[in-house]
Amino acid sequence: MTKRAPLLKRLIAGCLAGTLTVVGGISPAHAQSLNLVRDAEVETSIRALATPLFEAAGLRPQAVSILLVNDKRLNAFVAGGQNLFLNTGLLVRADHAGQVMGVIAHETGHMEGGHLAKLPGAMREAMISSIFESVLAMGALIVAGSQRSRDAGVPSSNTGTPPSGGGGGGQSAAMKSLFAFTRTQETSADAAGVALLNQTQQSARGFLEFMELLANQEYLALERQDPYARTHPLSRERVEFLRNQVAKSPYSDVPIAPAFVAAHKRIKAKLIGFLEPQATVFQRYPTTDTSLEARYARAIAYYRVPDINQALRTIDGLLAENPKDPFFWELKGQMLFENGRPLEARGPYEKAVEFSGGIPILKIDLAQVLLAVAEAPGAEAAANDAVKRAQSLLMEAQRFEAESPKLWRLLAVIYGRENNLGLAALATAELALLQGRPRDARDQARRALRLLPAGAPGQIRAQDLENQAIQELERLRE
């Protein structure tokens, strides 16, 4: 589990082109108000739950990005047309996988219907202000782990009332029209979500349970409501519609797939283990609970204390029972690496990459470990091989994680080690632009242009980066 710094600036800058992505012209500082985290297991599990729904909606699953927002409150939204954001609070507070799938089905309904693209221009502007205030109201939590990053976007289609204190002037005729419009879109997304669940022969009962939970929030003061209740306008008609659909669907009593049940239990345990105080972890998962997910949560809690010996004993017990589980190997590798033991961490990370089928962010982590191995005392003989393998892993991961600052930081280190100063400057420019440092990105791109040989492939990319950085600097001056 690692922190994900500011979300893709390109995601932010592309606002309102076709469908609503995120608000155009938002500064990187504003973008950072969404505190995103990366976790290979959580992302993989959510994608497994969501893929049948994406396919049923006619979406290409690989084209939908799944992003985790580190916020305890219930919320989910889409942005950029096909970017699905899920709060960690939603995943933890959901009682079972069926409730999570209901929310994903609803959000998929928004993507399938292209609802944001249908917003009239004036309503978009009214909504943008409300969305941005809602995003700024989200609190940030600290997540233990190493630094994987991507820039953040702004919520989507489903926006309703502005948060408390958001300015009564926003309650204009345009905003009132917007609220009516979004209520219509929410009802449409409900119907689409139920249809997708039926099409995939899954029960909508969890969706109904989730919406009934939200319906109770209308009695709370606005500032105490979860963002999902504010940004997805509820009505008795919507809840009654879902009740009727559940009553007549032939799939309402279909049990949740065991793999989905297990995946959600692990997601929940992992997030609680990383995000909650140790006392809370042991209250939720006492030592008398010998289930896999309870031991998983406790292993993480021990590691965070840190009680590395107890953490390793616990994760080794899980690995003895599940020797090909990539995410147990990943956690063991993380424990060892972050406790200054890179030589021992290499093996677990190698197994994590192997047994996961080569998940890109795990390749980036393994590359980081390999570079640490190359610098370890007594490893001089194997240093060059370790660096070459690290570079190979990063180049493979780049196809899927080109927006990862960690990837470019590691590549810059490798190129610098090889005295390839042109490519080192190019990688540093990529890193600076992703981190919202356009002046540094411009300067490094220009340095790369001076150092790279004429006609080298990197020259074109350096020109593109220079232009993007200049455009961002001009935007910041406006």
Side-chain angles (χ1 to χ4, degrees):
M1 168 73 60
T2 59
K3 214 171 177 180
R4 199 180 200 177
L7 178 74
L8 315 170
K9 196 158 58 156
R10 294 196 225 340
L11 181 71
I12 295 166
C15 152
L16 301 181
T19 59
L20 178 71
T21 56
V22 237
V23 182
I26 287 183
S27 70
H30 288 163
Q32 293 179 34
S33 61
L34 275 183
N35 184 18
L36 301 187
V37 293
R38 298 298 307 274
D39 185 83
E41 178 177 13
V42 176
E43 292 175 19
T44 300
S45 297
I46 294 298
R47 189 166 293 281
L49 268 64
T51 291
L53 298 168
F54 293 159
E55 291 176 340
L59 304 174
R60 190 165 64 90
Q62 301 92 322
V64 181
S65 295
I66 295 172
L67 302 105
L68 305 176
V69 182
N70 184 17
D71 191 297
K72 285 188 174 183
R73 294 172 294 176
L74 292 170
N75 204 14
F77 47 86
V78 292
Q82 294 188 18
N83 296 283
L84 173 62
F85 293 75
L86 296 169
N87 271 23
T88 54
L90 184 148
L91 299 173
V92 167
R93 289 166 62 182
D95 291 328
H96 55 77
Q99 294 180 354
V100 176
M101 285 189 288
V103 173
I104 294 174
H106 173 93
E107 300 302 332
T108 303
H110 280 301
M111 289 187 278
E112 180 186 30
H115 290 162
L116 293 179
K118 299 174 183 177
L119 280 171
M123 289 185 180
R124 292 188 191 186
E125 293 180 7
M127 184 178 69
I128 284 169
S129 175
S130 177
I131 290 174
F132 187 55
E133 290 173 9
S134 295
V135 170
L136 290 180
M138 294 182 181
L141 297 173
I142 298 176
V143 180
S146 53
Q147 62 286 352
R148 292 181 206 107
S149 313
R150 189 181 288 183
D151 298 314
V154 174
S156 68
S157 68
N158 328 351
T159 303
T161 55
S164 178
Q171 300 293 341
S172 61
M175 287 299 293
K176 290 177 182 178
S177 297
L178 170 63
F179 299 154
F181 184 90
T182 55
R183 280 191 292 270
T184 300
Q185 299 307 309
E186 292 306 308
T187 301
S188 175
D190 289 344
V194 170
L196 292 171
L197 289 166
N198 284 334
Q199 191 174 339
T200 54
Q201 299 184 12
Q202 299 183 88
S203 175
R205 196 177 298 279
F207 187 16
L208 171 61
E209 292 170 1
F210 181 80
M211 297 305 282
E212 287 176 332
L213 171 66
L214 288 176
N216 295 329
Q217 294 212 355
E218 65 180 318
Y219 302 108
L220 298 177
L222 186 63
E223 63 272 13
R224 294 182 58 201
Q225 292 179 1
D226 281 298
Y228 203 93
R230 292 201 305 263
T231 60
H232 296 65
L234 290 168
S235 67
R236 293 180 182 176
E237 289 77 11
R238 286 183 64 196
V239 175
E240 193 59 36
F241 166 79
L242 290 174
R243 286 182 183 141
N244 291 335
Q245 293 298 309
V246 168
K248 69 182 184 181
S249 171
Y251 306 110
S252 292
D253 294 324
V254 171
I256 305 166
F260 291 171
V261 173
H264 178 253
K265 286 181 178 180
R266 284 182 57 156
I267 288 173
K268 196 167 181 173
K270 191 169 197 178
L271 292 174
I272 290 171
F274 270 111
L275 299 174
E276 296 293 342
Q278 186 187 33
T280 303
V281 178
F282 281 92
Q283 183 180 23
R284 296 285 295 270
Y285 299 101
T287 53
T288 53
D289 185 347
T290 59
S291 66
L292 180 147
E293 61 271 13
R295 287 179 288 156
Y296 198 16
R298 292 197 298 269
I300 296 165
Y302 289 132
Y303 146 69
R304 288 178 60 211
V305 170
D307 182 348
I308 186 63
N309 292 330
Q310 184 60 47
L312 288 171
R313 282 194 293 270
T314 306
I315 197 65
D316 281 342
L318 289 168
L319 281 167
E321 299 170 14
N322 306 273
K324 293 188 177 182
D325 190 300
F327 306 114
F328 290 163
W329 283 114
E330 177 199 17
L331 180 59
K332 182 173 182 177
Q334 184 175 351
M335 289 175 179
L336 292 165
F337 180 70
E338 293 183 1
N339 279 275
R341 296 157 68 174
L343 293 172
E344 295 174 71
R346 177 176 182 172
Y349 269 114
E350 292 278 13
K351 291 182 184 297
V353 171
E354 176 188 354
F355 294 139
S356 71
I359 292 177
I361 60 175
L362 294 182
K363 290 183 177 181
I364 296 173
D365 283 344
L366 175 55
Q368 181 180 35
V369 171
L370 288 167
L371 289 180
V373 166
E375 298 297 328
E380 293 81 2
N384 286 338
D385 287 343
V387 172
K388 287 179 181 178
R389 174 146 167 74
Q391 184 172 354
S392 176
L393 288 164
L394 292 170
M395 298 308 292
E396 292 169 10
Q398 184 184 339
R399 294 177 52 207
F400 307 96
E401 292 286 337
E403 303 283 356
S404 166
K406 182 175 180 179
L407 179 145
W408 293 110
R409 179 176 59 81
L410 294 175
L411 279 175
V413 169
I414 291 173
Y415 293 136
R417 182 188 176 97
E418 295 174 345
N419 204 33
N420 191 334
L421 301 184
L423 287 181
L426 184 62
T428 304
E430 297 271 13
L431 173 63
L433 195 61
L434 287 168
Q435 291 182 330
R437 298 184 286 114
R439 190 177 304 280
D440 291 342
R442 180 201 62 190
D443 294 345
Q444 289 296 329
R446 288 175 175 173
R447 184 166 184 260
L449 285 169
R450 291 195 303 270
L451 294 171
L452 288 169
Q459 279 205 327
I460 295 175
R461 180 57 185 159
Q463 291 170 358
D464 290 342
L465 288 170
E466 180 187 20
N467 291 334
Q468 290 176 38
I470 290 171
Q471 289 173 8
E472 177 63 13
L473 286 169
E474 290 174 350
R475 188 192 65 76
L476 291 172
R477 293 191 191 101
E478 293 176 357

